Amino acid sequence: MQAPSVCTEQAERQGDQRDVSFEAKGREQDDLQHARYGSPGLRVSLIFVDRIAIEDEGEGVPLVCLHGLGGSAGVWTPMLAPLSGYRVLRIELPGSARSALAQGSRSIAGFVDCLERICDRLSIRQAHWMGHSLGTIVAQHLAHAHPNRVKSLALYGPLAEPAEAARAPLRARAAMARSESVCGMLKIAIQTVSASLSAETRARQPLVAALVRESVARSCPQGYASSCEALAEAQSARLEHILVPVLLVTGDEDAVAPPQAMRSLAERLTASPLVRQHVFGRCGHWTPLERPAECLSEWTHFIGATNRLSARPARPAYAMGVA
């Protein structure tokens, strides 16, 4: 069996001298492949399940992370690596980063079905879930469709669905990606940095701005276009049927998921036993990159409160802060 070419090529480009071993596990060896990078105290696997890339790091309670439009597994590394006591699985959605664009995955429902298959293949019965932007919509639909898979939801830059005014621009962006290919992706990347990061992030965190620009610019044009179209057509999950604790975090300069939209989403989570909200000051839409330490702190406090819940209260508990 050949190892995934993306792994070998990347290791050769970087001159990586660490021991790298490839192994296949699961029912079908051809589509469940591992690239393991081992060192004392750190073990990360790059796994492909049905050509979907997953970074698998650590041991313990599963925590599954879903990036947003134009993102990748790298969105979560400043915030979460390493996170003791958890098995962190950073999934790259179909058509994004290193993941193939599979037939049937070009919708929110298709993304959810893909995640369900991945959980089955990796024997993940239940997990905490994190999402950013597009990933928050997918996570909400997963929690409604497969409630037994979900222990909690942590949603950064949360959306129930795109605003009506945003749907046509998303379709136009998809058309640009398809028609102009990599040149179009560069234009989209520059626009994304300008529109979705806070003024302070652009001025004082040039590495964050560079990472967002590079992540979007290097996206596969066809895969990015497909994700844009899935987002443009997305409808809200039945939020009143979500039964798990939910953390909602946004920035005061987030034009994609503004604080008022987050509050409206929270008000619909009537069956959740715990709903926490937090708004970061001087922060835009890419909260896990713009404010990684604060995002982790909010999640840690949220998980502590979640673990203390002995039974679901009759009414949801709300908490909100501004930093």
Side-chain angles (χ1 to χ4, degrees), residues 108 133 136-138 140-141 155 157-163 167 231 234-239 256-257 261-262 264-266 268:
I108 301 300
S133 193
T136 71
I137 299 177
V138 178
Q140 291 164 61
H141 280 268
L155 309 178
L159 301 164
E161 61 184 17
R167 296 182 189 272
L231 183 55
Q235 301 297 320
S236 174
R238 300 184 67 177
L239 301 182
V256 179
M262 182 185 75
S264 297
L265 192 161
R268 296 175 57 197

Side-chain angles (χ1 to χ4, degrees), residues 206-262:
L207 292 181
V208 171
L211 178 57
V212 171
R213 181 183 186 276
E214 196 73 355
S215 179
V216 176
R218 287 183 176 269
S219 296
C220 166
Q222 295 297 325
Y224 183 88
S226 183
S227 293
C228 282
E229 290 162 349
L231 183 55
E233 300 302 321
Q235 301 297 320
S236 174
R238 300 184 67 177
L239 301 182
E240 66 277 8
H241 290 182
I242 291 179
L243 305 176
V244 298
V246 181
L247 171 66
L248 303 170
V249 176
T250 195
D252 64 346
E253 296 183 38
D254 189 337
V256 179
Q260 186 52 51
M262 182 185 75

Side-chain angles (χ1 to χ4, degrees), residues 4-315:
S5 60
V6 65
C7 304
T8 54
E9 289 172 2
Q10 188 175 46
E12 290 169 2
R13 272 201 313 271
Q14 295 174 347
D16 199 332
Q17 300 302 311
R18 293 171 294 178
D19 289 335
V20 180
S21 62
F22 296 91
E23 58 181 309
K25 295 183 178 180
R27 290 189 297 269
E28 306 211 9
Q29 292 189 345
D30 288 340
D31 59 358
L32 179 53
Q33 301 175 344
H34 293 234
R36 296 195 180 277
Y37 292 77
S39 63
L42 176 63
R43 191 161 183 82
V44 181
S45 299
L46 176 58
I47 304 172
F48 288 86
V49 177
D50 296 335
R51 301 174 68 201
I52 301 302
I54 306 125
E55 291 186 4
D56 186 350
E57 180 176 7
E59 297 179 352
V61 179
L63 168 62
V64 183
C65 305
L66 308 175
H67 61 80
L69 182 65
S72 70
V75 167
W76 302 104
T77 51
M79 173 182 168
L80 293 175
L83 187 62
S84 177
Y86 291 89
R87 179 189 180 189
V88 181
L89 298 114
R90 298 179 286 265
I91 298 177
E92 294 182 334
L93 294 172
S96 295
R98 294 160 290 191
S99 292
L101 180 59
Q103 292 294 331
S105 64
R106 306 182 185 196
S107 66
I108 301 300
F111 290 156
V112 170
D113 289 344
C114 175
L115 295 173
E116 177 72 1
R117 290 194 301 272
I118 289 171
C119 287
D120 282 342
R121 295 295 302 277
L122 299 182
S123 300
I124 300 170
R125 292 188 296 177
Q126 192 177 51
H128 297 289
W129 291 76
M130 272 187 190
H132 172 241
S133 193
L134 168 62
T136 71
I137 299 177
V138 178
Q140 291 164 61
H141 280 268
L142 179 80
H144 173 247
H146 305 284
N148 292 334
R149 292 285 192 195
V150 181
K151 284 188 174 184
S152 71
L153 293 175
L155 309 178
Y156 297 89
L159 301 164
E161 61 184 17
E164 286 304 315
R167 296 182 189 272
L170 282 167
R171 296 185 185 101
R173 205 184 305 175
M176 177 185 288
R178 284 204 166 93
S179 64
E180 300 185 30
S181 190
V182 293
C183 294
M185 291 310 305
L186 179 58
K187 294 178 185 177
I188 292 168
I190 293 170
Q191 293 167 359
T192 299
V193 169
S194 176
S196 65
L197 296 177
S198 73
E200 180 169 296
T201 297
R202 294 195 304 272
R204 299 191 178 184
Q205 299 191 71
L207 292 181
V208 171
L211 178 57
V212 171
R213 181 183 186 276
E214 196 73 355
S215 179
V216 176
R218 287 183 176 269
S219 296
C220 166
Q222 295 297 325
Y224 183 88
S226 183
S227 293
C228 282
E229 290 162 349
L231 183 55
E233 300 302 321
Q235 301 297 320
S236 174
R238 300 184 67 177
L239 301 182
E240 66 277 8
H241 290 182
I242 291 179
L243 305 176
V244 298
V246 181
L247 171 66
L248 303 170
V249 176
T250 195
D252 64 346
E253 296 183 38
D254 189 337
V256 179
Q260 186 52 51
M262 182 185 75
R263 296 183 190 108
S264 297
L265 192 161
E267 290 171 359
R268 296 175 57 197
L269 293 166
T270 53
S272 171
L274 175 67
V275 179
R276 283 181 177 258
Q277 303 176 65
H278 198 91
V279 179
F280 291 131
R282 303 176 301 282
C283 182
H285 185 57
W286 292 72
T287 39
L289 290 176
E290 295 183 69
R291 303 287 286 274
E294 294 93 332
C295 283
L296 178 58
S297 177
E298 286 298 318
W299 184 77
T300 301
H301 286 102
F302 165 70
I303 287 298
T306 296
N307 291 338
R308 290 191 294 271
L309 287 174
S310 57
R312 184 163 63 91
R315 297 177 63 184

